Amino acid sequence: MRIVGTTLVHHLLTEKEAFAPVLTQISLGAKLIGRELQQAGLVNMLGYTGGMNVQGEKVKKLDLWANDAFVEILKESGLVCTLISEEMDEPLHFNDYCKEGSYLVCFDPIDGSSNIDVNGALGTIFSVRRRRGKEADHMRPDALEKGTEQVAAGYVMYGTGTILVYTTGRGVNGFTLDPNIGEFFLSHPNIQAPKRGKTYSVNEGNYHHWHPQSRKFIDHLREIDKASGRPYSLRYTGALVADFHRTLLEGGIYLYPADADDPKKPTGKLRLLYEAAPLGFVMEVAGGKASTGEMRILDIQPSSYHQRVPLIIGSAEDVTMAEDFYQGRR
Ligand code: AFP
């Protein structure tokens, strides 16, 4: 029986990837945000800044603080040339580091902001891509490549504890923070998503805004049919990362469908580059699926940095069932 356990830093070393320091820096950001969340009520980090982000959403103080912390930390890695964040209208380039072998990081610093003031679960989502542009003009849209180009992705969940889950394509591993020594220890080795689950996560308050196929699928999950394991149970926390983490570990499905009549959410609410694509990479490596209902999330060719997509993600059989409804086979 091991005495110490495997730390995140050690696990990253075994991956033998040049971008390991980028993930180590992200874990530092996770520790800092976790600490701030523990004290948010004490250090006046609650509430709104009064500003709006590119999504037209009111910005919480912690959103901005977390974004600034990640900018500082990732610049220090010396390996990151471009950052794309939910909290920044345009990509941020570190010109000194825009060279061969550098990386782009797309991230949502605080996912689930509406939970900040009510002590709810929150998360951070991150995606690492290689800078491919050779030109001096680093505006080359390296980030606007399909999700299949990600070299690493993952998330941090700030709940009863702080857990960091990531993949480089070779397995999905979860690390739990020991706050007493400030180290992440391997707690969930080689996570495999169950092929099918018993829960679904969706904001049913939007039911009458959905396209008919979304309503038909959710109606199907709610029907009573013991032989096919229905009804599913509804679990919805308001934080994608929390619902995703449960779905990854226990199976089931999370959906944020397109909205049929809200001009602000014609393609759903969630963003491709720093929400759907990184979580889609994690879910697929764990044996699950991530889809818009019509196509694989990782195959989408992004057209803009803050592009939104419908997201249906979770156990392979559950997402396939959803696609059967969305594509008219049921
Ligand atoms: P916020 O970060 O603005 O709270 O949005 C969280 C989120 O992007 C995702 O984490 C949730 O699953 C989803 O939106 C909740 O959206 P609704 O409040 O529209 O259900």
Side-chain angles (χ1 to χ4, degrees):
M1 177 64 183
R2 293 193 57 165
I3 297 172
V4 177
T6 302
T7 64
L8 174 62
V9 173
H10 173 76
H11 195 272
L12 285 170
L13 287 174
T14 63
E15 299 257 25
K16 296 183 171 52
E17 292 282 4
F19 55 73
V22 176
L23 294 175
T24 303
Q25 291 297 91
I26 288 171
S27 72
L28 172 58
K31 294 176 192 175
L32 292 170
I33 293 171
R35 184 196 61 192
E36 288 305 307
L37 288 171
Q38 294 304 317
Q39 303 164 5
L42 309 176
V43 293
N44 189 28
M45 291 293 272
L46 302 180
Y48 291 98
T49 62
M52 307 287 269
N53 65 15
V54 65
Q55 332 292 342
E57 295 159 345
K58 286 194 286 186
V59 177
K60 293 264 184 180
K61 290 178 185 174
L62 207 61
D63 282 314
L64 275 192
W65 184 90
N67 186 72
D68 294 349
F70 272 114
V71 167
E72 186 179 312
I73 286 166
L74 288 169
K75 182 175 185 179
E76 275 176 2
S77 74
L79 290 172
V80 175
C81 96
T82 298
L83 290 178
I84 289 167
S85 163
E86 180 187 48
E87 301 307 332
M88 299 190 293
D89 296 0
E90 294 300 322
L92 177 62
H93 297 291
F94 302 131
N95 294 321
D96 295 348
Y97 304 121
C98 275
K99 55 186 181 294
E100 189 68 24
S102 59
Y103 298 94
L104 300 88
V105 177
C106 305
F107 66 105
D108 181 0
I110 297 287
D111 166 67
S113 309
S114 52
N115 283 347
I116 291 175
D117 294 350
V118 295
N119 201 34
L122 297 166
T124 294
I125 308 170
F126 56 88
S127 166
V128 183
R129 297 159 180 262
R130 290 192 199 290
R131 181 181 188 277
R132 297 209 186 287
K134 304 273 189 298
E135 312 77 28
D137 166 17
H138 48 65
M139 287 301 287
R140 183 186 183 282
D142 291 340
L144 297 185
E145 296 196 354
K146 295 180 179 180
T148 46
E149 293 304 307
Q150 296 174 99
V151 293
Y155 62 92
V156 183
M157 181 178 164
Y158 311 98
T160 48
T162 298
I163 183 167
L164 185 149
V165 177
Y166 86 95
T167 187
T168 61
R170 294 183 300 274
V172 175
N173 292 287
F175 299 81
T176 299
L177 179 66
D178 178 338
N180 298 314
I181 56 174
E183 278 290 357
F184 280 99
F185 285 96
L186 182 63
S187 52
H188 298 73
N190 191 29
I191 297 173
Q192 296 290 311
K195 286 298 170 219
R196 191 176 167 208
K198 299 184 177 66
T199 62
Y200 70 105
S201 296
V202 72
N203 180 344
E204 292 211 351
N206 296 327
Y207 183 88
H208 294 295
H209 295 298
W210 293 338
H211 293 286
Q213 68 272 33
S214 295
R215 291 200 291 269
K216 274 181 69 177
F217 175 59
I218 295 304
D219 291 345
H220 176 76
L221 295 183
R222 290 191 304 200
E223 280 169 2
I224 298 175
D225 177 16
K226 294 273 182 260
S228 61
R230 291 178 291 148
Y232 279 38
S233 295
L234 176 61
R235 296 286 183 277
Y236 194 68
T237 69
L240 165 58
V241 163
D243 290 322
F244 178 88
H245 187 62
R246 183 194 57 257
T247 303
L248 178 70
L249 295 187
E250 298 183 356
I253 190 168
Y254 170 100
L255 307 91
Y256 208 103
D259 206 303
D261 58 12
D262 181 344
K264 284 195 296 183
K265 292 191 280 189
T267 54
K269 175 179 181 183
L270 301 177
R271 276 68 61 157
L272 175 59
L273 286 184
Y274 40 81
E275 290 175 326
L279 296 183
F281 187 17
V282 172
M283 185 55 79
E284 285 198 1
V285 175
K289 289 180 73 172
S291 172
T292 64
E294 304 298 335
M295 71 179 291
R296 181 187 181 212
I297 289 288
L298 297 190
D299 286 338
I300 298 174
Q301 174 58 57
S303 55
S304 64
Y305 296 122
H306 300 290
Q307 173 179 347
R308 298 174 191 266
V309 292
L311 179 62
I312 300 166
I313 191 166
S315 296
E317 291 178 14
D318 290 321
V319 175
T320 298
M321 179 170 42
E323 290 176 325
D324 288 344
F325 279 85
Y326 278 91
Q327 295 170 29
R329 292 186 289 273
R330 294 181 72 162

